[in-house]
Amino acid sequence: MSAPSASHSHRRERLYLVWDIAIVVLVSANLLLLLVDSLFLLPPLNAGLEALAPSLHQAYDSAIHQRFMTIDLVFVSIFLLDVLAGWAMAIAERRYARWFFYPFVHWYDVLGCIPVSGFRLLRVLRLISLLIRLQRLGAIDIRRWRLYAFFERYYRVLMEELSDRVATRLLSSLQEEVQRSDDFTKRLTEQVIQPRKAALVDEIARRLETTVDKSYAENHQEVHRYVATLVTRTLEENQELTRLRRLPMGEHVAHAMERSLSDVASRVVHEAIDGLRSPRFKSLIGDLAGSGIDAWLYVDQRTDRVTEQVLIETLEMLKDEIAVQRWRDELDLR
């Protein structure tokens, strides 16, 4: 059962593919006809063609232009048949939640079947949707087409320019709002920072503890050597210890004192670092961070002006950054 079913599914997919390719060819031919006939209606081009190739002008006028509506209706009948067949297949495959959803999803296909000049342009969307479908099926790879590369490149340029204009206008509006506001810094402090003060204090204390602990763990040998060197230099400069070295057995006593003091100093440093993990130290760091944040959050008229100016200049810097046309580098337009 599975092999015949797979074979049937494969044949159906191939049939869909052939039909889609045929519709692409027909839509392309119809759009080309629309373009040529529209150009034929332009008086300068019409007169130029008649002067350069009167026989071709007469043949096109009698065979195609005067029968344009009839030819277009032939295309429309095929396109309408395609829409009805697609609708029927969507119902049979239960592609959508309701049977009547298909014409709303494929509205450009339905409206493109109306033989009116404005609706005929929607056949371009029909062609694009068919090309995308063939791309998904792997029948074509439009990304390798030069035409696609051309439009994709300038589409990126257009989108970058539009987005830059919108972003610049938005940042300018923000600058104007900040300048018009009388209590922006105060509201920023009260509504944004103050409610998160406890979390900020905890984060500052945690990061300080982690930084000190990690630095000591990575450099504890250097710290101990530095402490030992510092103790040795201090003792060598001590006059009392110098006199002690001159006494009998004084050198041994001095060395013993030096080792003892170095060991004591190293232990003091080690115990101090271990004390960073204690609840008391965490409480102390929290109090210091809290006091610092309170001082930072204090707002007066001068603080408000400084904060406002910093924010405005930051927005101006962002506007300058947005104004850089990076697409010029991509297109080598320097």
Side-chain angles (χ1 to χ4, degrees):
M1 291 294 291
S2 60
S5 176
S7 177
H8 177 71
S9 176
H10 181 67
R11 285 198 301 269
R12 184 175 61 182
E13 290 296 330
R14 291 187 62 183
L15 180 61
Y16 287 166
L17 180 61
V18 172
W19 179 255
D20 285 340
I21 293 175
I23 295 298
V24 167
V25 173
L26 290 173
V27 173
S28 301
N30 182 246
L31 291 174
L32 180 61
L33 176 63
L34 290 173
L35 177 61
V36 171
D37 201 69
S38 298
L39 296 176
F40 186 79
L41 291 174
L42 297 176
L45 294 179
N46 190 298
L49 179 62
E50 186 176 8
L52 294 174
S55 58
L56 177 61
H57 179 276
Q58 179 62 30
Y60 179 82
D61 184 60
S62 59
I64 297 178
H65 180 66
Q66 295 182 11
R67 301 177 182 177
F68 176 78
M69 287 299 300
T70 303
I71 297 174
D72 188 61
L73 287 175
V74 172
F75 281 105
V76 167
S77 63
I78 298 174
F79 297 155
L80 186 60
L81 177 63
D82 175 59
V83 171
L84 295 175
W87 194 354
M89 292 303 301
I91 295 174
E93 296 175 357
R94 297 182 178 180
R95 202 176 302 164
Y96 304 106
R98 295 290 186 271
W99 65 272
F100 53 84
F101 279 10
Y102 183 87
F104 294 100
V105 176
H106 298 267
W107 57 273
Y108 45 86
D109 289 347
V110 176
L111 296 180
C113 293
I114 301 176
V116 180
S117 58
F119 291 109
R120 290 192 184 108
L121 295 177
L122 293 175
R123 296 172 192 175
V124 176
L125 298 179
R126 183 190 189 95
L127 178 62
I128 293 174
S129 67
L130 287 170
L131 291 176
I132 293 175
R133 189 189 308 173
L134 292 176
Q135 171 79 19
R136 291 174 180 171
L137 292 175
I140 59 175
D141 188 1
I142 60 177
R143 291 171 296 186
R144 296 183 178 180
W145 296 359
R146 291 185 178 180
L147 184 63
Y148 173 83
F150 175 81
F151 281 107
E152 196 268 341
R153 173 183 299 179
Y154 288 98
Y155 172 78
R156 290 204 311 268
V157 172
L158 177 62
M159 289 296 102
E160 181 179 340
E161 287 295 320
L162 289 176
S163 62
D164 287 352
R165 298 295 186 275
V166 172
T168 302
R169 181 55 187 163
L170 178 61
L171 292 176
S172 299
S173 299
L174 288 175
Q175 287 178 318
E176 294 173 2
E177 291 296 328
V178 171
Q179 289 175 334
R180 283 197 295 262
S181 177
D182 297 330
D183 58 346
F184 176 78
T185 304
K186 182 179 179 181
R187 289 188 290 113
L188 177 66
T189 301
E190 293 178 351
Q191 300 177 16
V192 178
I193 302 177
Q194 193 67 38
R196 297 168 177 81
K197 176 184 173 181
L200 289 172
V201 170
D202 290 341
E203 183 65 17
I204 293 172
R206 185 186 67 81
R207 292 198 177 195
L208 181 60
E209 179 186 351
T210 302
T211 301
V212 175
D213 196 17
K214 182 179 179 181
S215 299
Y216 179 71
E218 295 176 351
N219 304 284
H220 67 279
Q221 293 181 353
E222 289 80 0
V223 171
H224 288 301
R225 281 197 296 267
Y226 173 77
V227 171
T229 302
L230 182 62
V231 170
T232 301
R233 187 173 68 248
T234 303
L235 292 177
E236 287 177 352
E237 296 173 356
N238 187 271
Q239 297 297 327
E240 298 296 330
L241 192 62
T242 302
R243 296 192 193 99
L244 178 63
R245 292 178 185 273
R246 296 171 184 166
L247 298 175
M249 302 296 293
E251 190 68 27
H252 296 285
V253 174
H255 281 300
M257 290 179 61
E258 183 178 335
R259 287 195 299 270
S260 299
L261 289 174
S262 297
D263 184 62
V264 169
S266 297
R267 286 181 178 275
V268 168
V269 172
H270 183 72
E271 292 295 331
I273 297 298
D274 283 343
L276 297 179
R277 304 185 184 92
S278 65
R280 184 178 179 182
F281 180 79
K282 292 180 180 179
S283 177
L284 176 61
I285 291 297
D287 292 339
L288 291 175
S291 300
I293 290 179
D294 287 336
W296 181 60
L297 293 181
Y298 174 74
V299 177
D300 55 13
Q301 188 174 3
R302 181 175 178 275
T303 304
D304 190 63
R305 287 199 306 270
V306 171
T307 305
E308 177 184 308
Q309 191 63 33
V310 168
L311 184 57
I312 290 175
E313 291 180 2
T314 301
L315 294 175
E316 191 66 31
M317 185 183 64
L318 290 175
K319 287 166 60 178
D320 293 339
E321 187 68 20
I322 291 173
V324 177
Q325 295 176 322
R326 292 179 174 80
W327 56 267
R328 289 182 174 272
D329 296 333
E330 296 180 4
L331 299 179
D332 293 329
L333 298 177
R334 299 189 183 93

